[in-house]
Amino acid sequence: MGVTIRIEGFNAQKTIDRIINDSVGTFMAETTAKHMRKYVPEDAGILATSYITRPFEIEYTQPYAHYMFEGEVYGPNYPIISDGVVMGWYSPTKKFPTGKKIKYTKPLAQSHWDVPTQKNQSRKIASEVTGYLKRLR
């Protein structure tokens, strides 16, 4: 015959509300972005630092962020040439995937940089979020 024990005095909703709220979500997003930076493609460092955090969300705001995240060159891209030297590139507003993969120069940079962050940094992030929660008590 089984035994049922009722736990009294524990407010599960209060605990959930303490853990899942905007303050914790924003801290988690900022912490994740910090640990994600090593995997974000970088030339001048603009993309890795151009983001907005919201609770449990990071949005990279550079116009080319999507292309870098997908890891595929979008085009067409036309060279701007002055005196025989390529000075830059022009791209029309509407772009399409070219099938060509982006070659990142930063050692750990890659497309879908959230995946290696989750795989390699999740314990560090969880530890920092846990510390944050303990400070909120």
Side-chain angles (χ1 to χ4, degrees):
M1 166 134 339
V3 174
T4 301
I5 299 172
R6 179 151 175 80
I7 300 170
E8 302 285 335
F10 176 72
N11 186 334
Q13 189 60 50
K14 184 177 177 182
T15 300
I16 290 168
D17 291 345
R18 188 172 73 83
I19 295 171
I20 302 175
N21 63 50
D22 286 354
S23 172
V24 174
T26 300
F27 181 84
M28 179 177 267
E30 286 290 336
T31 301
T32 302
K34 176 182 76 173
H35 287 285
M36 201 178 304
R37 184 170 181 171
K38 65 177 67 173
Y39 305 107
V40 177
E42 188 172 320
D43 183 19
I46 296 170
L47 178 60
T49 59
S50 298
Y51 59 85
I52 298 168
T53 56
R54 290 181 281 280
F56 306 102
E57 185 176 297
I58 305 161
E59 177 187 353
Y60 288 87
T61 57
Q62 288 298 317
Y64 58 89
H66 170 76
Y67 310 128
M68 298 303 280
F69 187 77
E70 293 301 325
E72 186 172 358
V73 176
Y74 278 60
N77 301 299
Y78 305 106
I80 300 170
I81 301 172
S82 177
D83 296 325
V85 177
V86 175
M87 303 302 288
W89 296 87
Y90 164 76
S91 297
T93 305
K94 184 123 174 125
K95 293 184 171 189
F96 303 94
T98 64
K100 183 179 178 185
K101 297 292 177 196
I102 294 174
K103 295 178 185 171
Y104 302 113
T105 56
K106 184 176 163 186
L108 295 175
Q110 55 194 277
S111 64
H112 300 274
W113 49 82
D114 59 320
V115 174
T117 302
Q118 184 176 10
K119 180 181 177 187
N120 302 318
Q121 305 297 317
S122 59
R123 287 183 185 211
K124 291 178 186 174
I125 295 166
S127 176
E128 290 181 43
V129 171
T130 299
Y132 179 77
L133 287 167
K134 286 179 180 178
R135 290 189 299 275
L136 290 179
R137 286 189 201 179

